[in-house]
Amino acid sequence: MKKKFIIIMLIFLFIPTLFLASILYEPLDQDTFAIVNGEKLSTELLNSRSQVLYILLDLKDNYPDFYSGLTNTATGVEFLNTYLIDQAMKISNEVLFIQFVEQKGVNLNRNEVKSNIESKFSETFKELEIQDDEIEKYLLYLGYTSKINYIDDAYYSTLYINSISALYNKVLEEIELSDDEVKVEYENNKSNYMSPPTADIKVLIFASEEEASFTYSRIIDGYYTFDEVYRQSDNPLLTIRIDDDTNSLVKIIKSNPPGYVFGPVLYDSFEGTYALVKIEKKNPARILTFEEANPQIIFNLKDKKAQEYFDKVLPKQFQDFQERSTIIFNSALF
């Protein structure tokens, strides 16, 4: 459900409602395309997010006539300017929402986010074994003119997504429910609170398929039982869900009775281990008791009320914040 809210918010904030803010056009430092409530946004951020450099280079290489018309005619230049101002407003709107969430007392840990992105950047290029002198070329291929440019873009994108998630969590935490609300929800929707069908299984793990096959043949031939081998191992009894018909292991368990032993089956593809499995017990789906369902009931009710906030209250609150905000665009760029 949380993912659904994130998608809703992404769509909502990309609707051009930015004109509710006070917008000014003034000469600014050439490295700044806008100042949003005092927060400077770099021109390189606009270039990277709009991918204008990447687009123009691609047009120049593959569609030279169109590129010439786009960059050398008044109509083409006007089209580019319109595109850039649209991108500038979208970025500014994202920053406005980040600030909106922060003014609600939510700490988005900006320094930590920036530090994590820088660390991940270094780790990624180290894993790719790309040399320092090749990084700039690689970034340029992606539409970024520098490492700082790349990190700045990732920083604001991450902050924006984090702000949506953080606001959702804050709203969820602040919602209060009465005991009666929880009880009524359970009584009216018991069928929604079911435990999935499960099976208790014993698993013997082997270092190779050959070793697992040998043990299985000895069990089948009666030299010893599965349980005798199992008691000598330190493997716990596992409980797994058996409501996934696409899983081959689940299919075997569903179609065979308790006591059935099968294998070898691949257990860990990374380790290359194989397993023998014994079905110990099957547990059918059932309606959860009120106590068992209580955490899920509370989450569902809070989630529903959070959705109402996002659908009905948030748009007005954000609009009020926009109306109190000031955005200065660089008049030399737009």
Side-chain angles (χ1 to χ4, degrees), residues 178-228:
S178 68
D179 292 341
D180 286 343
E181 282 182 280
V182 178
K183 290 176 181 177
V184 168
E185 167 65 16
Y186 177 71
E187 292 299 329
N188 291 343
N189 299 286
K190 284 185 179 180
S191 61
N192 292 337
Y193 299 101
M194 302 280 293
S195 68
T198 62
D200 298 333
I201 60 173
K202 291 178 178 177
V203 179
L204 290 173
I205 304 170
F206 299 89
S208 68
E209 185 175 11
E210 291 76 14
E211 187 180 345
S213 296
F214 175 78
T215 303
Y216 181 74
S217 65
R218 301 291 280 182
I219 291 172
I220 296 301
D221 292 341
Y223 285 93
Y224 36 71
T225 67
F226 182 97
D227 287 337
E228 285 173 337

Side-chain angles (χ1 to χ4, degrees), residues 17-24 35-39 92-101 103 317-328:
T17 55
L18 189 59
F19 294 102
L20 296 170
S22 174
I23 298 179
L24 304 174
I35 300 176
V36 180
N37 289 330
E39 183 170 348
S92 300
N93 215 22
E94 286 186 19
V95 175
L96 274 179
F97 187 77
I98 291 167
Q99 295 173 349
F100 166 76
V101 172
Q103 61 88 36
Q317 288 184 346
F318 186 50
Q319 177 179 326
D320 291 342
F321 180 77
Q322 285 178 309
E323 290 174 348
R324 298 193 306 271
S325 298
T326 299
I327 298 172
I328 303 173

Side-chain angles (χ1 to χ4, degrees), residues 105-122:
V106 177
N107 182 4
L108 295 177
N109 301 305
R110 288 194 181 215
N111 291 336
E112 183 179 339
V113 169
K114 190 71 167 284
S115 178
N116 288 341
I117 290 172
E118 290 172 341
S119 297
K120 188 174 181 181
F121 178 91
S122 299

